Amino acid sequence: MEPAADAHDPRTFTMDGRDVPFEAGQTVLRAALAAGRYVPHLCYHPEFDPHGSCKLCTVKLNGRTVASCTTLARAGDEVESDTPELQELRRNLVQFLFVEGNHFCPSCERSGSCTLQAVAYDLGVMAEHFSPFFPDRPIDASHPDVLLDFNRCILCELCVRASAEVDGKHVFALSGRGAQKHLIVNAESGRLADTRLAVEDKAMDVCPVGVILRKRRGFLVPIGERKYDQRSIREIATANAGSSARPPAAREP
Amino acid sequence: MSRDLSAILAKYEQDPLRLVQILRSVVAEDGYVSKETITAIAERLALPRGRVEGVAGFYAFLPTEDVGRYRVLFSDNVTDRMAGSVELRERMQEAFGVRLGEVSRDGLVSIGTTSCTGLCDQGPAMLINGRAIPRLTRARVGAISAMIHGRAPIETWPLNLFEVHSNVLRKDALLSTPLEPGAAIDAALARGPESTIEEVKRSTLRGRGGAGFSTGSKWELCRAAPGEARYVVCNADEGEPGTFKDRALLADYADLVFEGMTVAAFAIGAKRGFLYLRAEYPFLLEPLEATLADRRRRGLLGEAIRGVAGFDFDIEIHVGAGAYVCGEESALIESLEGKRGIPRNRPPYPVTHGYRQAPTIVNNVETLALAAMVVRHGHQWLRARGAGKSAGTKLMSVSGDVERPGVYELPFGVTVREVLEAAGARSVQAVQVGGPSGTLLSPSELGRRLMFDDVPTAGAFMVFDDSRDILQVLENFATFFAHESCGFCTPCRVGTALQRRMASALAKGFGTRRDVKDLARVARVMRASSHCGLGATAGNVALDALEKFRPAFDRRLGTLEVMPTFDLDRSLAPAREVAGRDDEQAHLRREEER
Amino acid sequence: MAADHQKLRVATTSLAGCFGCHMSLLDIDERLLELLERIELDRSPLTDVKRVGPCDLGIVEGGLCNAENVHVLREFRRNCRVLLAIGACAVNGGLPAQRNHLDVRDCLQTVYLTGAGIRRGFIPNDPELPLPLDRVHPLHDVVKVDYFLPGCPPPADAIWKFLNDLLAGRTPTLGHGLIHYD
Ligand SMILES: Cc1cc2nc3c(=O)[nH]c(=O)nc-3n(C[C@H](O)[C@H](O)[C@H](O)COP(=O)(O)O)c2cc1C
Ligand code: SF4
Ligand code: SF4
Ligand code: SF4
Ligand code: FES
């Protein structure tokens, strides 16, 4: 255990040889992003507890691979992130996610604003490499205002967390395990229409991919003006670096 | 229409933490948990419905659809297959006209497979409505089929069908040194908690569940952790295929195991303990409950144990529901809390934040039995045997191609060859030590030693002779991991599925050089980035096989770098069918290899 | 790839695709002339050569939807030293693969027998007609693919950069703005 640190006296670890300051209780990922150092990530969201499931944020910490979103920063640690080996690992993980679901970006209304896609671009993923699973996942169009296209779910549980922790509704949950793990909704009928989901819910706004979609709003933003058309995810994720405007305080693990 | 849940809920005090036990009871009565029952349970426990559905959906033995009046699950470890389980299963399927995993049209029976049931020394085995039947033969399966046809209640079936043997074939210090119930507790009371822990530390006892962490240190950390309540958990999940030594311990030495738990409770200051028993061992439940009752009667459990005011401790048995990952200590705790068995983010570790976020020790059955002995007989008792940093003996579950499969207690440091000789093995092609997550050894390695610093093992020892196909072994293990991945993290959820597909293609002769490369690539991704030990070790056997049994792969590969990942000709079959064609153009042949 | 200054022989084809990638290739505009100084075309929708001969580079658009696609792809693989999968359909099945959760029998029945406006339909059984596979597959499910260029279609600039790199013997790379999947 480290002695409790003064929050105004940032200590540092190194990442790829350069110093990264951090505050007590901060994770490696959060400190890196605050310092303008991008580490690819998917299931991490600044307003929620780190989840640690996508493993995109894997770094080497003193030689051991760990998920940087769930690992607390410690002074003097040596972190490797932007190495060929780790980038290759991340490319493979992204390819895993692509083959696992049905991702047909040309017909997806999240295309251009999708985190998975943007991370894949950043990593230079040119193809899925493995054979796609082509799972059969029916969509749920029962809700008057919301469409659920499970084909693109990457199981990050952000909607589950948002609905439970922020909305207090528990609209989403997970069932099954292994490759059969899947998102379910909180209704005996299994239909979204029979849940308490409303378009104002936080759960509507956290999905990093194109699963939870507002009806009649698709493809409104023209190509060229979508979130990642102009700037890469790397630039956007580190845009606030150094500024004192920090994301709302999140509980760390 | 929803069923009356009052009795079940009353039994479990309407406690959401006991959700898994509640769902198990529903399945025991109804065969499955219906949609309506899920809704009703959620309402009564004030849980979100999705939570309850998610828990039922996680465990293999909590079906949410009708699985027939008789649910037959053939144990599908490689040792069951080697003993002929596939043929027996197919005959039975034929007899009832059902496909794998399907329910017969009259709703009478479904026939499926399940991960290793821990009866490898007396396989092939099956579970029928949760009850284990070992030593299957054509005759036994015939008799079972007849009783199913006759709709005979399982309670009326001949008891000898369900008889499980302990099969302890060699006893050393642990299994042959007598220990009077209460003697280790008395020794602990005489020493006091700190020096009890000190004694365990001095013995250098290391956990027998796999990781080999110092037991004394674990207890010490837990004792030192801040918190009111503390818990002792005995890990009897024994899910690693090929492992059945805890089964024997719990059958014949239950008193010793509970003694160890009680000593641990005294040492860390716990009032409650759990024994997490894998669902595949239902035959142990009643005897274990009886032993607990007996110990309560004798003042070895309950309030003021041994008359010492304030020394209160009791043990509850929690039965699993079919999930290997629940052997991982933090997933086990999640399951104990009535949740999906997803391993937690660590740190914090259970010693500080375990059951209900309170300090908790999780120890293997064998570890706790040994700890009781150490506390009673002193640290030298353990250190008299063993080698290097591995003090004491180890229980090995030996199965596969040996004359005398069973449980052997052997000192750490024993060579692989010595184990093979003890069990009677000939023309050995390979040995899988530590189960699918362990190490695959070739005949050139028989001089290696079973101990933490050489070949570590939680106790599985599966032998394959010359007649076996290593790629089928690999396929079996890959199928196991894909079935048991909890699905939480990307590398393991997808990696185990990819691995199964490639291993299966290779075993069936459809594999290619790309599959061989990708098998290693996927294994490395899983090893580097998985969230828990399941994914981190799921690729071990592939990497070992590629390194040590490469010709087995090369023999099956064509000269093409890539072949279709699926059966091309078969993928035209549906179109052939509706178009009514069978001409030459309506087929796709396998490409000529150059 | 082109260490000497001989022209590179290139074949192109569209399998289960929409020719969009070919259109995008033509979209490199006046740079086409520059390209044609360095390559010569073998079988291609642009040439009308019917069977592919030995080539340095094969560019395949579209995924595998039917038996004919498989034959053509295999022919390309046999004849081309380097195979490039171009566009979303070749790379991951693309839009046609969105039928993969349907039973191909039902598809054929709907199209030929029960669909709106069909009277006395029948499912053709002419051996000339290629039978559909039960699922649409990306190219790399059936043959080895050396390079992938995603996009629906890939932008002309990406194709240009990619081919230039290949012709110059560099491993092709695309930076932000050139890689996209839509
Ligand atoms: C996937 C997985 C399954 C495990 N299964 C078991 C098991 O069945 N029994 C067991 O004692 N330990 C098992 N373990 C190890 C436990 O996490 C834990 O280390 C052990 O129970 C600690 O007890 P010990 O120190 O006495 O060995 C498993 C670990 C993993 C990663
Ligand atoms: S969710 Fe993202 S990656 Fe998936 S199809 Fe849509 S845009 Fe593509
Ligand atoms: S729906 Fe979206 S937010 Fe929810 S688990 Fe799937 S990918 Fe994550
Ligand atoms: S490694 Fe596998 S079992 Fe462990 S958390 Fe990840 S998905 Fe679950
Ligand atoms: S961002 Fe760290 S595991 Fe997903």
Side-chain angles (χ1 to χ4, degrees), chain C residues 112-152:
Chain C
Y112 290 111
L113 300 178
T114 57
I118 296 173
R119 259 174 290 147
R120 281 184 304 150
F122 75 105
I123 298 177
N125 59 0
D126 186 343
E128 293 285 297
L129 291 176
L131 283 181
L133 301 166
D134 60 351
R135 287 175 146 199
V136 176
H137 291 268
L139 305 187
H140 70 274
D141 265 6
V142 171
V143 299
K144 178 174 185 340
V145 174
D146 302 295
Y147 295 100
F148 298 87
L149 177 48
C152 186

Side-chain angles (χ1 to χ4, degrees), chain B residues 267-572:
Chain B
I268 66 164
K271 303 239 174 290
R272 276 179 77 191
F274 296 95
L275 180 105
Y276 190 101
L277 181 68
R278 73 180 310 213
E280 289 81 348
Y281 293 164
F283 47 87
L284 291 175
L285 189 56
E286 264 179 48
L288 286 172
E289 292 285 12
T291 307
L292 285 177
D294 184 52
R295 290 180 71 86
R296 281 182 201 115
R297 258 194 312 277
R298 296 162 72 169
L300 299 172
L301 277 180
E303 280 171 21
I305 292 172
R306 279 307 209 211
V308 177
F311 182 13
D312 308 333
F313 178 65
D314 212 329
I315 297 171
E316 188 176 316
I317 300 179
H318 176 109
V319 184
Y324 162 64
V325 71
C326 288
E328 194 282 337
E329 56 185 12
S330 66
L332 184 153
I333 291 170
E334 289 284 297
S335 181
L336 271 182
E337 293 179 358
K339 303 185 199 146
R340 294 161 57 80
I342 309 291
R344 294 176 175 173
N345 279 313
R346 284 145 300 147
Y349 294 95
V351 282
T352 58
H353 296 75
Y355 182 66
R356 308 179 74 179
Q357 297 300 319
T360 303
I361 54 166
V362 181
N363 274 127
N364 175 253
V365 176
E366 187 181 350
T367 313
L368 288 162
L370 286 163
M373 289 296 210
V374 165
V375 172
R376 168 68 183 83
H377 298 293
H379 65 274
Q380 285 303 344
W381 174 86
L382 191 79
R383 297 184 66 165
R385 287 173 185 72
K389 289 184 184 139
S390 312
T393 60
K394 180 81 196 76
L395 299 184
M396 311 282 177
S397 325
V398 184
S399 65
D401 294 312
V402 293
E403 277 159 30
R404 295 174 294 280
V407 177
Y408 292 75
E409 184 185 0
L410 298 161
F412 266 126
V414 65
T415 64
V416 175
R417 182 173 290 109
E418 285 166 322
V419 181
L420 290 170
E421 278 163 10
R426 260 169 311 176
S427 13
V428 172
Q429 179 186 186
V431 183
Q432 182 74 31
V433 178
S437 69
T439 317
L440 179 65
L441 299 175
S442 75
S444 66
E445 299 175 279
L446 302 188
R448 294 186 62 181
R449 295 180 184 281
L450 302 180
M451 54 197 281
F452 290 111
D453 344 305
D454 189 358
V455 187
T457 176
F461 192 101
M462 289 183 273
V463 182
F464 307 106
D465 72 16
D466 281 346
S467 70
R468 307 298 177 182
D469 176 0
I470 290 295
L471 293 193
Q472 281 183 12
V473 176
L474 173 63
E475 181 188 14
N476 180 266
F477 291 171
T479 303
F480 166 75
F481 285 118
H483 183 65
E484 297 297 341
S485 164
C486 84
F488 174 75
C489 69
T490 312
C492 170
R493 182 180 70 242
V494 186
T496 53
L498 285 168
Q499 175 171 266
R500 169 174 55 187
R501 201 168 58 183
M502 293 185 287
S504 170
L506 286 161
K508 294 187 170 68
F510 274 107
T512 64
R513 276 163 218 288
R514 185 179 68 184
D515 291 325
V516 169
K517 275 190 230 156
D518 282 350
L519 208 49
R521 179 199 290 235
V522 167
R524 283 193 298 267
V525 170
M526 292 195 287
R527 184 176 281 182
S529 59
S530 286
H531 181 68
C532 84
L534 191 153
T537 59
N540 284 0
V541 59
L543 291 174
D544 278 348
L546 284 168
E547 182 192 326
K548 301 174 187 178
F549 296 91
R550 184 64 191 229
F553 291 86
D554 292 336
R555 267 203 302 271
R556 305 285 175 88
L557 297 177
T559 50
L560 292 172
E561 165 97 15
V562 171
M563 282 194 301
T565 52
F566 53 96
D567 186 336
L568 264 175
D569 190 50
R570 207 163 56 201
S571 67
L572 288 177

Side-chain angles (χ1 to χ4, degrees), chain C residues 9-10 17 38 40-41 45 59 71-73 85 93-94 102 114 117 119 127 130-131 145 154 159 174 176:
Chain C
R9 215 171 157 75
V10 178
R38 292 153 70 190
E40 58 188 10
L41 284 175
I59 301 178
H71 290 305
V72 174
L73 178 64
L102 303 173
T114 57
R119 259 174 290 147
L131 283 181
V145 174
I159 299 178
L174 299 176
H176 182 71

Side-chain angles (χ1 to χ4, degrees), chain A residues 51-55 65 88 92 96-97 100 129 131 133 155 170 173-178 181 184 186-188, chain B residues 39 48-50 53-54 57-58 322 340 345 483-490 493 498 501 518 521 528-529 531 565:
Chain A
H51 193 239
S53 61
C54 74
K55 302 299 178 195
T65 46
E88 178 62 15
N92 284 322
F96 279 19
L97 289 170
E100 179 189 33
H129 182 84
S131 283
F133 295 5
L155 302 166
H170 301 276
L174 291 160
S175 188
R177 72 179 192 215
K181 180 174 140 175
I184 56 171
N186 196 36
E188 188 175 299
Chain B
T39 307
R49 188 185 182 284
E53 183 179 350
F58 184 83
R340 294 161 57 80
N345 279 313
H483 183 65
E484 297 297 341
S485 164
C486 84
F488 174 75
C489 69
T490 312
R493 182 180 70 242
L498 285 168
R501 201 168 58 183
D518 282 350
R521 179 199 290 235
S529 59
H531 181 68
T565 52

